[in-house]
Amino acid sequence: MASLAEPREPTVAKDAFPNEKPPLDLPSSNDSLETASTVNEKALLRKLDLTLLPALTLLYLLSFLDRSNVANARLEGLVTDLNITGNQYLTCLTVYFIGYVLFEIPCNIILKRTSPKLWLPTLTIAWGIVATLMGVTQNLAGFLIARFFLGVTESGLFPGVVFYLSMWYKRSEQHYRVALFFSAASLAGAFGGVLAWGIAHMRGVGGLNGWRWIFILEGLLTIIVAASAYFFVVNYPATAGFLSDDEREFIYNRLKSDNDATRNEAFTWGNVSRALKDPKVWLYGAGFHTMSLPLYTLSLFLPTIIKELGYTAAQAQLLTVPPYAVAFVLTIVVAIYSERTKMRAPFIMGGSSLAIIGYIILLATSGKPGLSYFGTILAAAGIYPATALVLAWPANNVSGQTKRATANAMQISIGNMGAVLGTQLYRTESAPRFFVGHGFALGYLFSNVLVVGTLWWVLKQENGRRERGERNARLEGVKEDEWLGDDDPRWIFQL
């Protein structure tokens, strides 16, 4: 599907990439034809992928590891040492998402007004320090404060990276990259179980229990990687040192005809307001809201769910690896097929349906740990691929840099409100069947199918109106160099 319908190309300023001035004169249309003949597009995309994605994926892997390792720490004596009751432990999980939701939009506004090279590593160092300090807390109050500020400091990474990638790749290329980036979440789950199993053997070293070493060592790893991230995270194409002049020009021209990444858009609160008033942005948020509850309840409670099936703590740590490994592979496979077919909604709905089967198995089986464990694999295999595509959708479809940055942050803020609820559902007294938690996850997944189906229909109807010329009145009085963002009739939404 073409990204723009009969585009009337706007004039783009030479300092088009945000907060930067390009180190060369940007090309004329004749120059761009010359440049296109000297640059291999596939080779350039591979170069971008190998330069940008490993660094960003590593940061997100550490982010997900530091937020979800509390589930592993619980099995290694966290609640006993800090005298935390089952319900107090759930409150510790909840406050993380409160901090996350409150600071998501401000963090993306700061990113828009600063630069990725400065902001993303700084955030990572901040949460690495907080994650490390969780390992030395001595009581419930200290742990609650640490969890809250972990949410605050981690809140800017994911929406910031989604916005950042939209400034490098064409719309049809972004969701695959976001999916690769998000696959680090399932990879973190797999590594987290193995790391926790190994680190737990350090109990007694330095007079500390194993759960403290989980937080300390994984937090210190984050700080070390973040300090080096100042050197391997780059800003935007106009000043990226790893690109040649021809490659920089080529990127500029391929983005200029596809999206708004090359436009010199100043930050305005009016564009923030446009995102807040757009019903489609709220639907993107609802799409993630209905995925975030099953996503985070699975990642935060999977070790406990498996242990309650009758396994030891050590066995449960290791048995968390296969569900995440399957989810990792399927996230990438589904992203590839979604890119090839240029469709999002059917794959999201398919993933949710697979997870629904998993939760039905968990709810319906009793006394059959093997079958119940298979249900957790199906749940993870459906949730992670679907979530990756849901999170990439607004980056593909929202035009206007500030509006898109706001929409990305809104989506995750709205979504994580589902996680706030989810952290209160898996109560100790409901073990081992966890009817309430599994039941809510099942209901949310059914809701996701409905929300995504509705959004698919809304976008398809709007595309039809634009293709029939019913929105062309919006172009009356609009100058040749003006762009109306995703309200522009030339903008076609990806389904």
Side-chain angles (χ1 to χ4, degrees), residues 143-365:
F143 198 71
L144 281 170
I145 292 170
R147 288 294 295 180
F148 175 80
F149 281 101
L150 184 67
V152 170
T153 50
E154 286 195 354
S155 64
L157 181 68
F158 193 92
V161 169
V162 171
F163 171 75
Y164 173 72
L165 292 177
S166 73
M167 306 301 291
W168 282 90
Y169 293 97
K170 294 170 69 173
R171 294 172 66 205
S172 60
E173 299 161 349
Q174 290 167 20
H175 85 280
Y176 174 61
R177 274 75 190 180
V178 172
L180 287 177
F181 168 69
F182 181 75
S183 68
S186 51
L187 206 57
F191 279 129
V194 175
L195 283 174
W197 175 81
I199 295 173
H201 287 82
M202 292 181 64
R203 73 174 60 87
V205 175
L208 301 179
N209 204 347
W211 69 267
R212 293 188 182 276
W213 283 115
I214 290 174
F215 289 130
I216 291 170
L217 293 183
E218 293 179 3
L220 289 174
L221 174 63
T222 297
I223 294 171
I224 293 169
V225 172
S228 63
Y230 287 106
F231 301 98
F232 59 71
V233 172
V234 298
N235 282 331
Y236 299 106
T239 56
F242 70 94
L243 296 174
S244 68
D245 289 351
D246 283 349
E247 289 171 334
R248 192 175 291 111
E249 293 175 5
F250 187 80
I251 290 173
Y252 175 86
N253 283 290
R254 73 195 295 269
L255 294 180
K256 187 168 75 170
S257 62
D258 179 78
N259 61 34
D260 58 25
T262 61
R263 294 184 62 80
N264 183 28
E265 181 189 306
F267 171 84
T268 66
W269 287 105
N271 285 329
V272 174
S273 177
R274 285 182 60 227
L276 293 169
K277 294 176 180 177
D278 188 343
K280 295 188 294 297
V281 172
W282 291 93
L283 280 173
Y284 294 128
F288 181 49
H289 179 87
T290 49
M291 288 303 305
S292 70
L293 185 146
L295 170 71
Y296 283 112
T297 53
L298 190 70
S299 64
L300 292 172
F301 294 103
L302 183 59
T304 300
I305 292 169
I306 294 174
K307 183 175 181 293
E308 292 296 336
L309 295 178
Y311 299 99
T312 66
Q315 289 172 332
Q317 301 281 28
L318 293 176
L319 285 172
T320 61
V321 176
Y324 288 122
V326 172
F328 172 72
V329 173
L330 279 184
T331 299
I332 295 175
V333 170
V334 169
I336 291 171
Y337 279 98
S338 176
E339 182 181 37
R340 288 180 181 176
T341 59
K342 303 189 184 304
M343 297 294 290
R344 311 288 178 267
F347 290 97
I348 297 169
M349 296 166 75
S352 294
S353 299
L354 180 61
I356 284 171
I357 296 172
Y359 278 101
I360 290 174
I361 291 173
L362 282 168
L363 286 167
T365 56

Side-chain angles (χ1 to χ4, degrees), residues 99-173:
Y100 202 108
V101 168
L102 290 176
F103 285 86
E104 199 123 30
I105 294 177
C107 281
N108 247 27
I109 291 174
I110 293 172
L111 172 64
K112 183 68 173 68
R113 304 190 77 165
T114 56
S115 69
K117 189 176 183 68
L118 171 65
W119 183 238
L120 298 180
T122 301
L123 276 178
T124 310
I125 285 180
W127 92 59
I129 293 171
V130 175
T132 304
L133 292 176
M134 285 198 301
V136 296
T137 53
Q138 299 299 317
N139 51 46
L140 172 63
F143 198 71
L144 281 170
I145 292 170
R147 288 294 295 180
F148 175 80
F149 281 101
L150 184 67
V152 170
T153 50
E154 286 195 354
S155 64
L157 181 68
F158 193 92
V161 169
V162 171
F163 171 75
Y164 173 72
L165 292 177
S166 73
M167 306 301 291
W168 282 90
Y169 293 97
K170 294 170 69 173
R171 294 172 66 205
S172 60
E173 299 161 349

Side-chain angles (χ1 to χ4, degrees), residues 414-425:
I414 296 166
N416 281 334
M417 291 177 187
V420 171
L421 171 62
T423 54
Q424 293 295 319
L425 298 178

